[in-house]
Amino acid sequence: FLVTFSVLIFSTYYLNSELNFNYYYFVLLIFVGSMFSLNFSNSIFTMLLSWDLLGISSFFLVLFYNNWDSCSGAMNTALTNRLGDYFMFVFFGLSVFSGYYFLSFSMFSSYMSLLLLLTAFTKSAQFPFSSWLPKAMSAPTPVSSLVHSSTLVTAGLILLMNFNNLVLQKSFISFVLIIGLFTMFFSSLASLVEEDLKKVVALSTLSQMGFSMVTLGLGLSFISFIHLVSHALFK
């Protein structure tokens, strides 16, 4: 809440002269509201609605300047998020129908866990879905700071924490650990040769998200959450 409030105040000074300022602020409030709703959701419907609104509003925020870079970044962000939405809808669809006829929950549990992991990887920009995060830096600076600190990229990790018992099984915990390690190292190496300062910040965020995924893969959910909070404050 503190980070969001700071960004909202900064936005009024940073983009006050823009013609589409009211449109920007409206979409930003939808984005922030959907993130809060996702964090505190206690039903599947609320979670799906918040998840979808988060992806849609992020597309319009990245598209704000309406130039080539922002269009490319917005499309990349939207397509990756749509892929994650597909995985999530299939996951909940299998959850609903897992008790009917010849279908059993144990039959689908491993596939469902994999779908949930892929959903989280798309939102948290883990390998191989990492390309959208540096490209999303074409958004206005307040949006970039919000996306890269405490909102969009953390949604996948929050999802995994909510479904901790289902996802972090022995068969998948090593997979989460390896993906997190790979994301952390390749983003750190890429930031060494990157010249664009905003993309360096994006790659730094990727590295931090990879570290959070590693701690989650080690079964240290609370440590991962503490790291997310500290990352939101310093980023």
Side-chain angles (χ1 to χ4, degrees):
F1 179 78
L2 182 65
V3 175
T4 304
F5 186 65
S6 303
V7 168
L8 289 174
I9 292 175
F10 178 62
S11 295
T12 57
Y13 294 100
Y14 187 79
L15 292 167
N16 197 24
S17 59
E18 292 286 338
L19 293 174
N20 295 328
F21 175 73
N22 292 331
Y23 157 78
Y24 159 80
Y25 218 77
F26 175 70
V27 178
L28 184 62
L29 287 175
I30 292 175
F31 179 78
V32 170
S34 58
M35 190 64 206
F36 277 115
S37 178
L38 180 67
N39 285 336
F40 298 108
S41 61
N42 56 1
S43 67
I44 291 175
F45 176 75
T46 313
M47 185 178 288
L48 284 173
L49 184 64
S50 306
W51 189 271
D52 222 22
L53 277 175
L54 200 62
I56 293 168
S57 55
S58 64
F59 168 76
F60 286 108
L61 285 172
V62 176
L63 192 63
F64 179 73
Y65 285 129
N66 204 19
N67 52 31
W68 172 255
D69 286 338
S70 61
C71 287
S72 173
M75 190 56 66
N76 201 322
T77 303
L79 290 175
T80 309
N81 283 323
R82 287 290 93 186
L83 188 62
D85 295 344
Y86 168 75
F87 291 141
M88 194 175 196
F89 278 114
V90 173
F91 165 76
F92 281 118
L94 288 176
S95 301
V96 169
F97 292 107
S98 61
Y100 291 93
Y101 303 109
F102 60 90
L103 304 176
S104 63
F105 184 78
S106 58
M107 176 182 173
F108 284 116
S109 61
S110 58
Y111 297 109
M112 289 164 66
S113 300
L114 183 61
L115 284 169
L116 201 63
L117 279 175
L118 290 173
T119 304
F121 288 166
T122 55
K123 215 67 155 185
S124 292
Q126 299 298 300
F127 180 83
F129 308 106
S130 306
S131 62
W132 70 265
L133 192 60
K135 290 190 175 183
M137 293 305 279
S138 53
T141 302
V143 176
S144 301
S145 63
L146 196 59
V147 165
H148 287 259
S149 63
S150 58
T151 51
L152 195 60
V153 289
T154 62
L157 285 160
I158 290 168
L159 183 73
L160 290 184
M161 290 175 192
N162 288 337
F163 291 92
N164 198 356
N165 295 329
L166 178 63
V167 175
L168 299 180
Q169 303 169 357
K170 288 183 179 179
S171 54
F172 286 104
I173 203 163
S174 57
F175 179 63
V176 174
L177 187 64
I178 290 167
I179 292 294
L181 278 171
F182 190 80
T183 305
M184 185 169 63
F185 282 118
F186 99 80
S187 56
S188 300
L189 290 173
S191 64
L192 295 175
V193 295
E194 182 59 58
E195 295 179 354
D196 189 345
L197 194 58
K198 287 184 79 174
K199 287 188 177 180
V200 171
V201 174
L203 291 167
S204 164
T205 301
L206 262 180
S207 180
Q208 299 300 321
M209 290 302 107
F211 179 76
S212 291
M213 198 64 74
V214 167
T215 53
L216 205 60
L218 291 171
L220 305 171
S221 300
F222 182 71
I223 301 296
S224 181
F225 177 73
I226 293 296
H227 183 260
L228 283 183
V229 174
S230 61
H231 174 259
L233 291 173
F234 82 74
K235 189 56 70 72

